[in-house]
Amino acid sequence: MAIDDRTTAVPADPAADPAADPGLEAGTEPGTEAADSAPAAGGTKSTWGALRPLLLRIHFYAGLLIAPLLLIAAVSGLLYALSFQAEKIVYSHELRVPVGERVLPLAEQVAAAREAHPDGTVTAVWPSPEDGATTRVLMTDPSVEEGKSLAVFVDPYTAEVRGDLPSYGSSGALPLRAWISEFHADLQLGETGRNYSEMAASWMWVVALGGLALWIGRRRTAKRALVLPERGPKSRRRTLSWHGSVGLWAVTGLVILSATGLTWSRYAGENIDAVQTQLDGSTPAVSATLDGAAAGGDTGHEGHGSGHGTAPAAQGPDVGIDRAVQAAHDAGVSGKIAVTLPTEGNGYVVKETDTQFPVHLDSVAVDPADGTVIDELRFADYPVLAKLTRYGIDGHMGVLFGLANQLALAALMVALILLVVWGYRMWWLRRPTKERKLSAGRPVPRGAWRKLPVTTLLPLAAATALVGWFVPMLGLSLLAFLVVDAAA
């Protein structure tokens, strides 16, 4: 949303006018500091003085037109951050059991799940990760929609089936969290709805960094005003102060969320995957093929790499899931794990799934014929880019630091909601009415980009074209803005 700036300086020409934009930017107000956009001595305009009107114009349009998408993303993101704890309450019967004296073999627990759902095909098992937690047996089942699994919850002490629920993604989201996650990603509109989230993610870093530049670029008499909001009676100036200072604190998190969100997008996501592949930064995967052939990569995104999906029955002898888990434990893979059952030509895959930092994501493949480890992959051996991608995705999903991660996401979403509301409040107080053409000051005129010096315009145009090609939704919408601005 908009960053406001007031000045008592008189600009040398309209393009350098530091007064506000007609929608979200404020104008001249007595008693405030001179803006950095004022011309330098001798009438020569600084680079910042030339760029600032363009930043104001873009920030205004982005705030006015993209802010509704950011607001939807923020509200749904807030609900998603809170859904982890809500899930524990809503599905407590399925997730928790009284602690018993002895944990039964996994084979018995899987057999109980199969008996309860004879039409299902078991694909993976998530053993109880702690005392009092149930075991999840994941199945393909005709009653569950494509892309999801049926999670059967089994008491590890008695083999009692506590219930079953659809499960989605690598984090095992249950119906409540899965619905919110899908709404956050695509408004429950499928592929068409993904355009909304990609547009929001494409612009959020631009709005955040542009607002940061505008806020830091203001001259102020006290450094405190940069990082802390002003006190005093309610006014447009105080609203601006809250908008700027809260935005300053939130900008790093917003940029990270924007970057990681783009990895899930349709168009920019393809470009990001291509760059990762070119830089040998793709996420590796352990090879479970019994002939030792290489396996494909796994990005670990929500809904992928979770062991969900149709799996044909394995052929040949099988030492059983308990022997496979013991072999993995002997190889150093233990704790919170997920076991993918063998299929024709593939063995067991046992993965650590503890994403709380420091993460434990080692994995091994086990030959079902004799229980020997045929391949292993350590998280320490991941490429640096793959590790950073893993951290970023898990942080975006709220699973990197557990509850602390979720609370940080919730706080960041509240900040984004307030930034949007404050931005529109400034626009509302600044809007033209019958009584006044403008509440104060003069707007930055259209066509600010055309007034840039050639030495600034050409590099900026080249950089913008490159970014617009890499992030197509940003490039197309920015091009539309420039066309409208030029025509007007």
Side-chain angles (χ1 to χ4, degrees), residues 153-287:
F153 299 86
V154 181
D155 187 329
Y157 309 104
T158 66
E160 173 195 359
V161 174
R162 301 279 292 182
D164 56 80
L165 294 165
S167 175
Y168 172 71
S170 57
S171 67
L174 300 178
L176 173 63
R177 182 156 60 93
W179 192 93
I180 296 174
S181 175
E182 291 171 354
F183 183 82
H184 178 69
D186 60 21
L187 302 179
Q188 295 288 339
L189 297 175
E191 289 298 313
T192 302
R194 290 180 64 190
N195 293 328
Y196 122 79
S197 58
E198 181 164 0
M199 182 70 79
S202 297
W203 272 98
M204 186 159 66
W205 67 274
V206 177
V207 175
L209 293 179
L212 177 66
L214 290 170
W215 183 244
I216 292 178
R218 285 168 53 89
R219 290 181 184 172
R220 44 183 58 82
T221 56
K223 293 182 179 180
R224 177 188 179 280
L226 176 67
V227 296
L228 295 176
E230 296 181 5
R231 301 174 183 176
K234 291 183 178 179
S235 66
R236 193 169 183 279
R237 178 179 175 83
R238 195 179 79 164
T239 301
L240 164 68
S241 178
W242 277 94
H243 183 90
S245 56
V246 171
L248 178 70
W249 287 102
V251 64
T252 300
L254 294 177
V255 171
I256 291 174
L257 286 181
S258 177
T260 53
L262 286 173
T263 65
W264 278 288
S265 64
R266 183 192 304 179
Y267 304 111
E270 292 180 358
N271 292 332
I272 292 172
D273 289 340
V275 170
Q276 277 192 284
T277 301
Q278 289 294 323
L279 297 177
D280 294 326
S282 298
T283 302
V286 69
S287 173

Side-chain angles (χ1 to χ4, degrees), residues 118-464:
D119 294 334
T121 300
V122 178
T123 59
V125 179
W126 295 6
S128 170
E130 60 185 8
D131 293 341
T134 54
T135 293
R136 294 195 196 191
V137 179
L138 301 177
M139 296 181 167
T140 58
D141 190 272
S143 64
V144 179
E145 63 183 280
E146 185 179 358
K148 297 183 180 180
S149 291
L150 181 68
V152 182
F153 299 86
V154 181
D155 187 329
Y157 309 104
T158 66
E160 173 195 359
V161 174
R162 301 279 292 182
D164 56 80
L165 294 165
S167 175
Y168 172 71
S170 57
S171 67
L174 300 178
L176 173 63
R177 182 156 60 93
W179 192 93
I180 296 174
S181 175
E182 291 171 354
F183 183 82
H184 178 69
D186 60 21
L187 302 179
Q188 295 288 339
L189 297 175
E191 289 298 313
T192 302
R194 290 180 64 190
N195 293 328
Y196 122 79
S197 58
E198 181 164 0
M199 182 70 79
S202 297
W203 272 98
M204 186 159 66
W205 67 274
V206 177
V207 175
L209 293 179
L212 177 66
L214 290 170
W215 183 244
I216 292 178
R218 285 168 53 89
R219 290 181 184 172
R220 44 183 58 82
T221 56
K223 293 182 179 180
R224 177 188 179 280
L226 176 67
V227 296
L228 295 176
E230 296 181 5
R231 301 174 183 176
K234 291 183 178 179
S235 66
R236 193 169 183 279
R237 178 179 175 83
R238 195 179 79 164
T239 301
L240 164 68
S241 178
W242 277 94
H243 183 90
S245 56
V246 171
L248 178 70
W249 287 102
V251 64
T252 300
L254 294 177
V255 171
I256 291 174
L257 286 181
S258 177
T260 53
L262 286 173
T263 65
W264 278 288
S265 64
R266 183 192 304 179
Y267 304 111
E270 292 180 358
N271 292 332
I272 292 172
D273 289 340
V275 170
Q276 277 192 284
T277 301
Q278 289 294 323
L279 297 177
D280 294 326
S282 298
T283 302
V286 69
S287 173
T289 52
L290 297 180
D291 59 4
D298 175 12
T299 63
H301 287 54
E302 186 73 79
H304 301 280
S306 58
H308 297 187
T310 303
Q315 303 294 322
D318 189 343
V319 297
I321 187 172
D322 293 282
R323 282 274 304 275
V325 170
Q326 183 59 48
H329 184 274
D330 294 341
V333 176
S334 58
K336 186 178 180 181
I337 61 172
V339 185
T340 302
L341 298 194
T343 60
E344 186 174 1
N346 294 281
Y348 287 96
V349 173
V350 184
K351 297 181 178 181
E352 292 177 335
T353 58
D354 182 7
T355 54
Q356 294 195 34
F357 194 85
V359 302
H360 297 92
L361 297 174
D362 296 345
S363 58
V364 297
V366 179
D367 191 331
D370 55 15
T372 60
V373 174
I374 57 178
D375 191 27
E376 59 183 63
L377 176 64
R378 307 295 172 181
F379 183 71
D381 296 329
Y382 278 34
V384 173
L385 188 56
K387 289 181 180 178
L388 294 176
T389 301
R390 178 77 269 167
Y391 294 144
I393 289 172
D394 288 344
H396 192 116
M397 291 170 57
V399 299
L400 182 59
F401 299 104
L403 179 60
N405 193 168
Q406 294 148 28
L407 292 176
L409 282 178
L412 194 57
M413 292 302 96
V414 170
L416 181 55
I417 291 170
L418 291 175
L419 290 172
V420 172
V421 172
W422 286 327
Y424 274 112
R425 172 174 168 74
M426 287 189 288
W427 167 77
W428 182 256
L429 295 175
R430 180 69 177 79
R431 76 196 189 283
T433 64
K434 291 182 178 179
E435 290 75 24
R436 63 182 190 273
K437 184 178 180 182
L438 290 172
S439 61
R442 183 172 52 180
V444 175
R446 294 184 177 91
W449 62 274
R450 294 196 300 271
K451 293 179 170 45
L452 289 174
V454 175
T455 53
T456 301
L457 179 60
L458 292 181
L460 181 62
T464 302

Side-chain angles (χ1 to χ4, degrees), residues 65-78:
L65 303 176
I66 305 300
L69 303 182
L70 295 179
L71 185 61
I72 294 172
V75 172
S76 58
L78 174 61

